[in-house]
Amino acid sequence: PNILLVHGALADGSSWSDVIPLLMAAGYNVTAVQQPLTSLPDDIAKTKVALATLPGPVVIVGHSFGGVVITNAAYNAPNVAGLVYVAAFGPDKGESVTDLGKNFTAVPSGKLFVPDSAGRLILSQPNFVKYFAPDVNKVKAKVMAAVQGPCDAPRFTWQSGPPAWKQKPSWHIVSGNDQIINPDVEEFCAKRMGAKKIVKVAGASHAVMVSHPKVVAALIIEAAK
């Protein structure tokens, strides 16, 4: 089986670097997409290319906004066996990330995104460490902040298409101390999908695949079996 890892906004494929060796050691072929983060349609198109390149079966894994990407990119994809959502959004058709958050308490970090010179959004490096990766080794967290991928603002209100999770089984990681996405939003998405398994990682930050790679890898391997 193949595993396709899809990073979120403010990140890149290296955010999976602690999970990848564990998956490879378990005998899986692993690919991590590098998305442009210019728009969700652009990210979905890039992911569809990577997905179509792989023979089946594929377990596709999304972190954060990567959950929106896999929800759309894996729809009607015959080679996808299952979806794994890691501290991720899992929207339904016609629903945006902003819509998903409406019934839940807003996280303070939501007001701290700042535009770069082209108007794309980033977190200041100190805020990235504080809110995105507070439970990650400080040196590693600062590196993540330095390589963060600026993302477009319209992705927050982009309406999702028909969801792959209505076609294929899903597994979920909920980060207990996520300060980028309210953990209740993650859990709501998981329960609405009828997740095969929900793993709540107590005290984990949004960067759960960096701070708890063994937990994340174990669930991906379970989904791939």
Side-chain angles (χ1 to χ4, degrees), residues 190-221:
K191 287 181 173 171
R192 180 173 66 176
M193 287 184 204
K196 284 220 163 199
K197 188 171 186 178
I198 301 172
V199 177
K200 290 188 193 175
V201 188
S205 77
H206 193 54
V208 61
M209 65 286 184
V210 184
S211 59
H212 296 80
K214 288 179 181 173
V215 178
V216 174
L219 187 66
I220 296 170
I221 289 165

mmCIF file of all heavy atoms in Angstrom, residues 190-221:
data_model
loop_
_atom_site.group_PDB
_atom_site.id
_atom_site.type_symbol
_atom_site.label_atom_id
_atom_site.label_comp_id
_atom_site.label_asym_id
_atom_site.label_seq_id
_atom_site.Cartn_x
_atom_site.Cartn_y
_atom_site.Cartn_z
ATOM 1 N N ALA A 190 -14.920 14.560 12.872
ATOM 2 C CA ALA A 190 -14.683 13.117 12.976
ATOM 3 C C ALA A 190 -15.981 12.355 13.240
ATOM 4 O O ALA A 190 -16.271 11.337 12.591
ATOM 5 C CB ALA A 190 -13.676 12.839 14.087
ATOM 6 N N LYS A 191 -16.763 12.861 14.180
ATOM 7 C CA LYS A 191 -18.012 12.176 14.533
ATOM 8 C C LYS A 191 -19.027 12.249 13.400
ATOM 9 O O LYS A 191 -19.750 11.287 13.136
ATOM 10 C CB LYS A 191 -18.587 12.769 15.825
ATOM 11 C CG LYS A 191 -17.776 12.354 17.052
ATOM 12 C CD LYS A 191 -18.348 12.917 18.335
ATOM 13 C CE LYS A 191 -17.606 12.319 19.541
ATOM 14 N NZ LYS A 191 -17.964 12.988 20.803
ATOM 15 N N ARG A 192 -19.078 13.380 12.719
ATOM 16 C CA ARG A 192 -20.016 13.522 11.599
ATOM 17 C C ARG A 192 -19.676 12.551 10.473
ATOM 18 O O ARG A 192 -20.567 12.054 9.778
ATOM 19 C CB ARG A 192 -19.982 14.971 11.083
ATOM 20 C CG ARG A 192 -20.927 15.207 9.924
ATOM 21 C CD ARG A 192 -21.016 16.659 9.544
ATOM 22 N NE ARG A 192 -19.775 17.205 9.018
ATOM 23 C CZ ARG A 192 -19.659 18.440 8.545
ATOM 24 N NH1 ARG A 192 -20.701 19.257 8.563
ATOM 25 N NH2 ARG A 192 -18.504 18.874 8.081
ATOM 26 N N MET A 193 -18.396 12.270 10.297
ATOM 27 C CA MET A 193 -17.968 11.328 9.260
ATOM 28 C C MET A 193 -18.237 9.880 9.629
ATOM 29 O O MET A 193 -18.110 8.999 8.785
ATOM 30 C CB MET A 193 -16.460 11.469 9.016
ATOM 31 C CG MET A 193 -16.072 12.709 8.292
ATOM 32 S SD MET A 193 -14.291 12.683 7.977
ATOM 33 C CE MET A 193 -13.991 14.424 7.811
ATOM 34 N N GLY A 194 -18.542 9.635 10.909
ATOM 35 C CA GLY A 194 -18.652 8.247 11.358
ATOM 36 C C GLY A 194 -17.293 7.580 11.346
ATOM 37 O O GLY A 194 -17.126 6.459 10.856
ATOM 38 N N ALA A 195 -16.310 8.274 11.880
ATOM 39 C CA ALA A 195 -14.921 7.799 11.871
ATOM 40 C C ALA A 195 -14.795 6.379 12.396
ATOM 41 O O ALA A 195 -15.467 6.002 13.358
ATOM 42 C CB ALA A 195 -14.063 8.731 12.712
ATOM 43 N N LYS A 196 -13.934 5.596 11.754
ATOM 44 C CA LYS A 196 -13.646 4.245 12.243
ATOM 45 C C LYS A 196 -12.967 4.301 13.599
ATOM 46 O O LYS A 196 -13.174 3.443 14.446
ATOM 47 C CB LYS A 196 -12.736 3.516 11.247
ATOM 48 C CG LYS A 196 -13.462 3.048 10.011
ATOM 49 C CD LYS A 196 -12.956 1.658 9.606
ATOM 50 C CE LYS A 196 -13.928 0.984 8.648
ATOM 51 N NZ LYS A 196 -13.723 -0.461 8.597
ATOM 52 N N LYS A 197 -12.119 5.309 13.775
ATOM 53 C CA LYS A 197 -11.430 5.473 15.048
ATOM 54 C C LYS A 197 -11.059 6.932 15.241
ATOM 55 O O LYS A 197 -10.628 7.594 14.300
ATOM 56 C CB LYS A 197 -10.166 4.596 15.089
ATOM 57 C CG LYS A 197 -9.496 4.555 16.460
ATOM 58 C CD LYS A 197 -8.391 3.499 16.473
ATOM 59 C CE LYS A 197 -7.797 3.335 17.851
ATOM 60 N NZ LYS A 197 -6.767 2.274 17.859
ATOM 61 N N ILE A 198 -11.251 7.410 16.479
ATOM 62 C CA ILE A 198 -10.825 8.764 16.846
ATOM 63 C C ILE A 198 -9.805 8.636 17.970
ATOM 64 O O ILE A 198 -10.100 8.027 19.000
ATOM 65 C CB ILE A 198 -12.008 9.631 17.329
ATOM 66 C CG1 ILE A 198 -13.078 9.746 16.234
ATOM 67 C CG2 ILE A 198 -11.528 11.021 17.746
ATOM 68 C CD1 ILE A 198 -14.366 10.414 16.693
ATOM 69 N N VAL A 199 -8.611 9.151 17.754
ATOM 70 C CA VAL A 199 -7.573 9.132 18.785
ATOM 71 C C VAL A 199 -7.390 10.561 19.296
ATOM 72 O O VAL A 199 -6.970 11.441 18.551
ATOM 73 C CB VAL A 199 -6.233 8.587 18.233
ATOM 74 C CG1 VAL A 199 -5.146 8.656 19.307
ATOM 75 C CG2 VAL A 199 -6.404 7.148 17.744
ATOM 76 N N LYS A 200 -7.741 10.757 20.557
ATOM 77 C CA LYS A 200 -7.531 12.076 21.170
ATOM 78 C C LYS A 200 -6.172 12.070 21.855
ATOM 79 O O LYS A 200 -5.894 11.207 22.689
ATOM 80 C CB LYS A 200 -8.625 12.359 22.203
ATOM 81 C CG LYS A 200 -9.992 12.592 21.614
ATOM 82 C CD LYS A 200 -10.938 13.056 22.718
ATOM 83 C CE LYS A 200 -12.371 12.981 22.233
ATOM 84 N NZ LYS A 200 -13.326 13.307 23.315
ATOM 85 N N VAL A 201 -5.326 13.013 21.477
ATOM 86 C CA VAL A 201 -3.979 13.091 22.049
ATOM 87 C C VAL A 201 -3.964 14.234 23.066
ATOM 88 O O VAL A 201 -3.925 15.414 22.699
ATOM 89 C CB VAL A 201 -2.917 13.303 20.953
ATOM 90 C CG1 VAL A 201 -1.511 13.176 21.544
ATOM 91 C CG2 VAL A 201 -3.100 12.285 19.817
ATOM 92 N N ALA A 202 -4.030 13.859 24.336
ATOM 93 C CA ALA A 202 -4.130 14.853 25.407
ATOM 94 C C ALA A 202 -2.922 15.784 25.396
ATOM 95 O O ALA A 202 -1.778 15.331 25.291
ATOM 96 C CB ALA A 202 -4.237 14.154 26.756
ATOM 97 N N GLY A 203 -3.187 17.086 25.477
ATOM 98 C CA GLY A 203 -2.114 18.070 25.569
ATOM 99 C C GLY A 203 -1.379 18.355 24.283
ATOM 100 O O GLY A 203 -0.470 19.190 24.248
ATOM 101 N N ALA A 204 -1.759 17.675 23.189
ATOM 102 C CA ALA A 204 -1.020 17.835 21.928
ATOM 103 C C ALA A 204 -1.374 19.148 21.243
ATOM 104 O O ALA A 204 -2.518 19.588 21.244
ATOM 105 C CB ALA A 204 -1.318 16.675 20.989
ATOM 106 N N SER A 205 -0.373 19.760 20.623
ATOM 107 C CA SER A 205 -0.568 20.990 19.863
ATOM 108 C C SER A 205 -1.038 20.670 18.442
ATOM 109 O O SER A 205 -1.203 19.501 18.068
ATOM 110 C CB SER A 205 0.748 21.772 19.788
ATOM 111 O OG SER A 205 1.614 21.167 18.833
ATOM 112 N N HIS A 206 -1.196 21.719 17.651
ATOM 113 C CA HIS A 206 -1.562 21.553 16.240
ATOM 114 C C HIS A 206 -0.487 20.744 15.504
ATOM 115 O O HIS A 206 -0.793 20.005 14.577
ATOM 116 C CB HIS A 206 -1.727 22.938 15.600
ATOM 117 C CG HIS A 206 -2.397 22.910 14.268
ATOM 118 N ND1 HIS A 206 -3.624 22.322 14.055
ATOM 119 C CD2 HIS A 206 -2.014 23.410 13.064
ATOM 120 C CE1 HIS A 206 -3.963 22.452 12.783
ATOM 121 N NE2 HIS A 206 -3.003 23.107 12.162
ATOM 122 N N ALA A 207 0.755 20.877 15.949
ATOM 123 C CA ALA A 207 1.868 20.155 15.306
ATOM 124 C C ALA A 207 2.022 18.752 15.897
ATOM 125 O O ALA A 207 3.119 18.297 16.187
ATOM 126 C CB ALA A 207 3.158 20.948 15.467
ATOM 127 N N VAL A 208 0.912 18.049 16.017
ATOM 128 C CA VAL A 208 0.900 16.741 16.697
ATOM 129 C C VAL A 208 1.769 15.701 15.979
ATOM 130 O O VAL A 208 2.336 14.812 16.607
ATOM 131 C CB VAL A 208 -0.561 16.237 16.860
ATOM 132 C CG1 VAL A 208 -1.243 16.053 15.508
ATOM 133 C CG2 VAL A 208 -0.638 14.965 17.693
ATOM 134 N N MET A 209 1.919 15.841 14.642
ATOM 135 C CA MET A 209 2.730 14.851 13.923
ATOM 136 C C MET A 209 4.217 15.061 14.180
ATOM 137 O O MET A 209 5.027 14.178 13.897
ATOM 138 C CB MET A 209 2.419 14.857 12.419
ATOM 139 C CG MET A 209 2.786 16.115 11.692
ATOM 140 S SD MET A 209 1.654 17.439 12.071
ATOM 141 C CE MET A 209 2.294 18.683 10.986
ATOM 142 N N VAL A 210 4.565 16.214 14.758
ATOM 143 C CA VAL A 210 5.960 16.464 15.133
ATOM 144 C C VAL A 210 6.191 16.115 16.602
ATOM 145 O O VAL A 210 7.201 15.521 16.956
ATOM 146 C CB VAL A 210 6.337 17.945 14.873
ATOM 147 C CG1 VAL A 210 7.805 18.185 15.175
ATOM 148 C CG2 VAL A 210 6.023 18.336 13.427
ATOM 149 N N SER A 211 5.222 16.453 17.452
ATOM 150 C CA SER A 211 5.385 16.189 18.891
ATOM 151 C C SER A 211 5.006 14.760 19.291
ATOM 152 O O SER A 211 5.501 14.242 20.285
ATOM 153 C CB SER A 211 4.569 17.193 19.711
ATOM 154 O OG SER A 211 3.202 17.136 19.389
ATOM 155 N N HIS A 212 4.122 14.124 18.513
ATOM 156 C CA HIS A 212 3.681 12.750 18.818
ATOM 157 C C HIS A 212 3.700 11.893 17.542
ATOM 158 O O HIS A 212 2.675 11.323 17.154
ATOM 159 C CB HIS A 212 2.269 12.752 19.411
ATOM 160 C CG HIS A 212 2.153 13.453 20.726
ATOM 161 N ND1 HIS A 212 2.074 14.828 20.836
ATOM 162 C CD2 HIS A 212 2.115 12.974 21.990
ATOM 163 C CE1 HIS A 212 1.971 15.155 22.115
ATOM 164 N NE2 HIS A 212 2.011 14.058 22.837
ATOM 165 N N PRO A 213 4.867 11.777 16.891
ATOM 166 C CA PRO A 213 4.898 11.071 15.603
ATOM 167 C C PRO A 213 4.501 9.599 15.698
ATOM 168 O O PRO A 213 3.893 9.055 14.769
ATOM 169 C CB PRO A 213 6.352 11.222 15.133
ATOM 170 C CG PRO A 213 7.136 11.525 16.371
ATOM 171 C CD PRO A 213 6.204 12.285 17.266
ATOM 172 N N LYS A 214 4.819 8.953 16.812
ATOM 173 C CA LYS A 214 4.493 7.522 16.942
ATOM 174 C C LYS A 214 2.984 7.298 16.979
ATOM 175 O O LYS A 214 2.481 6.333 16.396
ATOM 176 C CB LYS A 214 5.139 6.945 18.206
ATOM 177 C CG LYS A 214 6.651 6.790 18.086
ATOM 178 C CD LYS A 214 7.267 6.229 19.355
ATOM 179 C CE LYS A 214 8.784 6.101 19.216
ATOM 180 N NZ LYS A 214 9.414 5.720 20.498
ATOM 181 N N VAL A 215 2.268 8.192 17.659
ATOM 182 C CA VAL A 215 0.805 8.084 17.734
ATOM 183 C C VAL A 215 0.192 8.278 16.349
ATOM 184 O O VAL A 215 -0.707 7.532 15.927
ATOM 185 C CB VAL A 215 0.231 9.122 18.727
ATOM 186 C CG1 VAL A 215 -1.290 9.056 18.771
ATOM 187 C CG2 VAL A 215 0.804 8.919 20.119
ATOM 188 N N VAL A 216 0.685 9.284 15.632
ATOM 189 C CA VAL A 216 0.170 9.580 14.295
ATOM 190 C C VAL A 216 0.490 8.441 13.332
ATOM 191 O O VAL A 216 -0.386 7.962 12.598
ATOM 192 C CB VAL A 216 0.730 10.926 13.785
ATOM 193 C CG1 VAL A 216 0.326 11.175 12.332
ATOM 194 C CG2 VAL A 216 0.245 12.070 14.679
ATOM 195 N N ALA A 217 1.730 7.972 13.355
ATOM 196 C CA ALA A 217 2.128 6.870 12.463
ATOM 197 C C ALA A 217 1.320 5.608 12.756
ATOM 198 O O ALA A 217 0.899 4.904 11.828
ATOM 199 C CB ALA A 217 3.620 6.594 12.602
ATOM 200 N N ALA A 218 1.081 5.325 14.034
ATOM 201 C CA ALA A 218 0.338 4.113 14.406
ATOM 202 C C ALA A 218 -1.077 4.124 13.832
ATOM 203 O O ALA A 218 -1.573 3.093 13.348
ATOM 204 C CB ALA A 218 0.292 3.976 15.927
ATOM 205 N N LEU A 219 -1.731 5.288 13.841
ATOM 206 C CA LEU A 219 -3.087 5.358 13.307
ATOM 207 C C LEU A 219 -3.080 5.236 11.775
ATOM 208 O O LEU A 219 -3.946 4.584 11.203
ATOM 209 C CB LEU A 219 -3.772 6.665 13.736
ATOM 210 C CG LEU A 219 -5.258 6.735 13.361
ATOM 211 C CD1 LEU A 219 -6.086 5.695 14.122
ATOM 212 C CD2 LEU A 219 -5.840 8.133 13.594
ATOM 213 N N ILE A 220 -2.088 5.836 11.129
ATOM 214 C CA ILE A 220 -1.975 5.719 9.663
ATOM 215 C C ILE A 220 -1.751 4.260 9.280
ATOM 216 O O ILE A 220 -2.371 3.733 8.341
ATOM 217 C CB ILE A 220 -0.832 6.605 9.127
ATOM 218 C CG1 ILE A 220 -1.143 8.093 9.377
ATOM 219 C CG2 ILE A 220 -0.618 6.358 7.622
ATOM 220 C CD1 ILE A 220 0.020 9.041 9.102
ATOM 221 N N ILE A 221 -0.895 3.571 10.032
ATOM 222 C CA ILE A 221 -0.622 2.150 9.765
ATOM 223 C C ILE A 221 -1.883 1.312 9.982
ATOM 224 O O ILE A 221 -2.190 0.405 9.186
ATOM 225 C CB ILE A 221 0.549 1.654 10.647
ATOM 226 C CG1 ILE A 221 1.873 2.295 10.141
ATOM 227 C CG2 ILE A 221 0.646 0.127 10.625
ATOM 228 C CD1 ILE A 221 3.027 2.176 11.111
#
